[in-house]
Amino acid sequence: NKGSGFTHQERKHLKIHGLVPHAVETLELQLERELRNLRMKPNDLEKYVYLMELLNRNETLFYRLVVDNIKECMPLVYTPTVGAACESYSHIFSQPKGIYISIKDKGNVKQILENWPTKNVKAIVFTDGERILGLGDLGINGMGIPVGKLQLYSACAGIPPSQCLPVVIDNGTETEKYLKDPLYMGLKQKRVRGKEFNDLIEEFMSSCQQVFGPSVLLQFEDFGNSTAFGLLEQTRDRYTTFNDDIQGTACVALAGVIASLKINGAPSKLADHRILFFGAGEAGIGIGSLIAYAISHEDGVSEEQARKNIWFVDSQGLITEQRHKTSSLKHHKVPFAHDASAYSGDLVELEDIVKSLKPTMIVG
């Protein structure tokens, strides 16, 4: 779609002569109009809606505007604005983007994927909407995350939009306000857990390979802590896949940690640091696990031994072996539950933990 850029000869050939104003405009002139209109919007959510409507009617112009104004547009198509857009997704919905698969589609996922108009898909970002940013369980409203993430892959990495596919796995939601909202567009039921849900993810990933080829990238995005780690372990050796929250964030954080080793006066080896994490969610555990992997390669020790240098603080305080014995730690925290008998004092508040543990590096 060239918008108002079709020549008069092209308009006659396409039988759109008279259906657009007379002027033949360059892409630059059309871009100037769209940018002026965007900047007239009163708030970021309205700007997001405007950009999505522009995408619906002229994909070329949308990406030109975003690429040429990336500093201005990135916070609009992705964080932080996409959070508000997701919360309102069912209310501001105008045109579907991507594929929607529900727990009720088990057994028919391949047929649904075959409805996509192109088979030349290289990158799929999929979410079940259970842990969207810091906003909690948004259900199908979380579709804004795969859509926005892939738009940045196109705008910043040059992946053709036609090779990108956003997907939401609709497994219900635990959020009451959505279950009671007549405009909510997802399944109005509580989430299905356990084997039935895991089987749906397996069917989805297997079907993606069958439809789009064995090398198609399958990126987990914003799954809940209770499922993210297990699903990654079950699938990572059989599919071209990664979890952005666990592994993507970890890569960037590790790069920062390695760069910090050049600071004068700091230990120059990762293995010589005692690292304390404030927070033990997907991102934190993912970063800690990758740092342990880096230490194991740097020093030739096992990852289990490397993890001894890395400690975590969650909402209950320092994660320790003693806590694991007396209470039920979530499975992803257990590898970092160390013996803390050598440390005295109250190991609940961060300040007290820092005084006792004396970390050389804090990540939070």
Side-chain angles (χ1 to χ4, degrees):
N1 183 6
K2 294 167 67 174
S4 55
F6 288 106
T7 66
H8 293 294
Q9 185 176 357
E10 288 172 329
R11 296 177 190 192
K12 291 178 180 178
H13 176 72
L14 295 170
K15 297 185 177 180
I16 60 171
H17 185 70
L19 303 183
V20 292
H22 178 80
V24 176
E25 298 182 325
T26 63
L27 185 62
E28 288 71 24
L29 188 59
Q30 295 178 69
L31 180 64
E32 181 182 345
R33 177 184 296 112
E34 299 298 346
L35 198 55
R36 285 186 181 184
N37 288 338
L38 175 67
R39 290 170 176 168
M40 287 172 59
K41 299 303 176 184
N43 57 60
D44 286 348
L45 183 57
E46 289 294 330
K47 291 178 180 179
Y48 175 90
V49 172
Y50 183 83
L51 285 170
M52 294 306 105
E53 290 175 347
L54 173 60
L55 176 63
N56 292 341
R57 58 184 165 84
N58 194 323
E59 183 180 80
T60 301
L61 194 55
F62 167 83
Y63 278 107
R64 178 64 182 271
L65 188 149
V66 172
V67 170
D68 287 1
N69 303 275
I70 193 67
K71 187 175 180 180
E72 180 177 354
C73 290
M74 185 181 289
L76 298 176
V77 300
Y78 205 60
T79 55
T81 308
V82 74
C86 284
E87 290 182 303
S88 304
Y89 181 83
S90 292
H91 289 244
I92 63 175
F93 181 87
S94 60
Q95 182 173 313
K97 297 177 179 66
I99 286 182
Y100 303 77
I101 295 171
S102 85
I103 193 72
K104 297 184 182 298
D105 293 320
K106 281 187 66 179
N108 298 300
V109 173
K110 184 172 181 285
Q111 292 91 321
I112 292 173
L113 293 173
E114 287 173 339
N115 291 335
W116 193 245
T118 176
K119 299 300 178 285
N120 189 30
V121 171
K122 302 298 183 183
I124 296 173
V125 177
F126 65 106
T127 185
D128 71 343
E130 187 174 8
R131 195 197 63 82
I132 297 296
L133 304 175
L135 304 173
D137 186 349
L138 302 191
I140 199 176
N141 290 344
M143 180 55 128
I145 295 295
V147 168
K149 183 69 63 95
L150 287 168
Q151 286 168 351
L152 292 186
Y153 287 1
S154 294
C156 300
I159 302 175
S162 61
Q163 295 181 5
C164 299
L165 175 59
V167 176
V168 66
I169 306 294
D170 188 0
N171 188 35
T173 178
E174 302 296 325
T175 304
E176 287 295 329
K177 72 174 183 179
Y178 296 135
L179 295 175
K180 296 176 181 178
D181 184 354
L183 292 180
Y184 177 65
M185 302 182 75
L187 285 175
K188 291 190 171 77
Q189 66 176 47
K190 296 288 187 178
R191 286 185 175 273
V192 176
R193 305 285 184 180
K195 186 177 184 302
E196 187 176 357
F197 175 65
N198 292 345
D199 288 348
L200 176 64
I201 298 299
E202 180 65 36
E203 181 186 352
F204 166 71
M205 297 181 76
S206 174
S207 297
C208 284
Q209 284 195 337
Q210 294 173 52
V211 175
F212 303 116
S215 64
V216 64
L217 173 65
L218 295 160
Q219 176 181 326
F220 287 93
E221 190 74 34
D222 286 351
F223 279 68
N225 289 344
S226 62
T227 60
F229 291 95
L231 289 172
L232 180 60
E233 287 305 313
Q234 292 167 28
T235 60
R236 65 191 304 170
D237 295 328
R238 296 181 292 116
Y239 298 97
T240 305
T241 188
F242 77 104
N243 183 302
D244 191 38
D245 307 288
I246 298 172
Q247 297 167 292
T249 304
C251 292
V252 176
L254 177 60
V257 167
I258 291 173
S260 74
L261 299 179
K262 299 177 182 179
I263 297 174
N264 290 334
S268 60
K269 289 177 60 180
L270 276 174
D272 295 334
H273 283 270
R274 181 178 295 124
I275 305 170
L276 180 65
F277 281 81
F278 187 51
E282 290 178 47
I285 295 294
I287 297 167
S289 298
L290 191 59
I291 290 176
Y293 177 82
I295 291 173
S296 72
H297 278 255
E298 179 185 62
D299 259 33
V301 299
S302 68
E303 287 187 48
E304 181 181 5
Q305 182 62 34
R307 283 194 291 268
K308 300 295 184 184
N309 292 24
I310 303 168
W311 295 78
F312 280 85
V313 178
D314 64 9
S315 60
Q316 304 300 312
L318 189 67
I319 295 175
T320 65
E321 187 177 75
Q322 289 79 359
R323 267 183 62 191
H324 180 45
K325 290 177 180 178
T326 58
S327 63
S328 179
L329 281 176
K330 290 185 177 180
H331 64 92
H332 62 277
K333 300 179 182 180
V334 173
F336 294 95
H338 307 317
D339 180 7
S341 58
Y343 302 103
S344 59
D346 184 2
L347 299 177
V348 176
E349 298 298 328
L350 179 62
E351 184 177 356
D352 296 326
I353 293 169
V354 170
K355 288 178 180 177
S356 182
L357 204 65
K358 294 181 173 57
T360 59
M361 188 182 301
I362 299 176
V363 181

